[in-house]
Amino acid sequence: MATPVRLAARAAFPATIPILAGFTFLGAAYGIYMTSLGFHPIFPILMSFFIFAGSIEFITANLLLMAFAPFQAFLLAIMVNARHLFYGLSMLDKYHSVGKKKFYLIFGMCDESFSINYTAKPDPSIDKGWFMFFVTLYNHMYWVGGSTLGALLGQFITFNTEGLLFVMTALFVVIFLENWLQEKRHTSALIGLVVSVLSLMVFGANQFVIPAMIGILVILIAFRKPLERREVKPL
């Protein structure tokens, strides 16, 4: 008989298949990019494993070539990954009773893992804590695997990887559409879309993410009870 851990591992894998495709390409692009800057392959491999924050890893590659400025690097990392503060607030209830797995779930929470763990509804027989753990672990390993592949191949091949960066944009569109199709009502999704578009128009493409998240958070908190009543209202 399969143990709860094995059941959760099997249930989590199909949910991460789209991430496997995206992380393989983008991770490989990162590995190739690092080696093209003259770094030994071990650098992108270890950075992918210990940092595990795609955008900041690309930025770190350039920071390592600049003058030593730890405070600047710290502030830059906070700014780039500030959206994770909102992810953490959203996952407080879900991570409350998962035990020691919480520490790895916090460390490994990337955009993709958050999207899956926040919206996924595994079978009641599946342990949710282990399900979220394996979603996070699989995504982590996909990124490390893609970076390793790119780092090793980057020593022998060179080509323009700019187009590969669009892979993650397409990946988020697919995740959003899947969640849209699973929802009976789309109030939260529409709030997110409207606030994001307004923030984009007001703050521009380079600075709209944080204002958009603050706006979405404020609206969802303010209208939490009406939204919850609407979700549970029978058809």
Side-chain angles (χ1 to χ4, degrees):
M1 184 176 179
T3 63
V5 176
R6 291 184 178 180
L7 288 173
R10 293 174 185 173
F13 177 69
T16 64
I17 290 178
I19 314 301
L20 170 61
F23 273 15
T24 298
F25 281 101
L26 191 60
Y30 168 66
I32 294 172
Y33 177 66
M34 283 288 289
T35 54
S36 71
L37 295 177
F39 290 99
H40 190 277
I42 195 63
F43 277 83
I45 295 172
L46 291 179
M47 288 169 64
S48 296
F49 187 85
F50 289 105
I51 299 178
F52 190 39
S55 54
I56 198 64
E57 288 179 45
F58 279 93
I59 295 172
T60 302
N62 293 314
L63 290 177
L64 291 174
L65 299 176
M66 298 168 59
F68 182 62
F71 184 69
Q72 178 183 349
F74 173 76
L75 290 180
L76 185 59
I78 291 294
M79 292 175 60
V80 171
N81 290 315
R83 63 190 184 280
H84 288 195
L85 296 172
F86 300 97
Y87 294 169
L89 291 174
S90 301
M91 298 300 287
L92 284 176
D93 290 338
K94 292 181 179 292
Y95 287 178
H96 179 68
S97 59
V98 298
K100 294 182 179 179
K101 295 186 287 296
K102 180 193 304 183
F103 297 102
Y104 178 70
L105 290 172
I106 293 172
F107 163 76
M109 185 170 60
C110 61
D111 299 325
E112 295 74 17
S113 296
F114 167 78
S115 298
I116 295 174
N117 286 334
Y118 187 78
T119 60
K121 297 179 180 179
D123 188 271
S125 62
I126 303 298
D127 184 283
K128 292 183 179 179
W130 281 114
F131 177 87
M132 293 189 293
F133 174 87
F134 281 108
V135 165
T136 305
L137 178 64
Y138 289 149
N139 290 341
H140 191 183
M141 293 302 100
Y142 298 156
W143 180 253
V144 174
S147 300
T148 301
L149 178 64
L152 297 177
L153 294 179
Q155 301 176 91
F156 308 103
I157 60 175
T158 56
F159 57 88
N160 189 347
T161 61
E162 183 177 354
L164 292 178
L165 298 179
F166 184 72
V167 170
M168 298 312 297
T169 301
L171 179 61
F172 276 113
V173 172
V174 171
I175 293 174
F176 175 81
L177 291 176
E178 287 183 347
N179 292 335
W180 179 279
L181 293 174
Q182 292 176 3
E183 293 176 343
K184 295 181 179 180
R185 295 182 174 86
H186 310 295
T187 307
S188 298
L190 291 173
I191 290 173
L193 283 175
V194 172
V195 174
S196 297
V197 171
L198 291 176
S199 296
L200 178 62
M201 295 171 61
V202 173
F203 298 99
N206 295 326
Q207 300 179 344
F208 84 99
V209 175
I210 301 303
M213 289 189 170
I214 293 175
I216 293 170
L217 182 64
V218 169
I219 292 174
L220 291 179
I221 291 177
F223 296 96
R224 178 178 178 180
K225 291 184 178 180
L227 288 173
E228 288 178 345
R229 286 198 297 267
R230 185 173 180 182
E231 289 296 329
V232 301
K233 184 179 179 180
L235 297 176

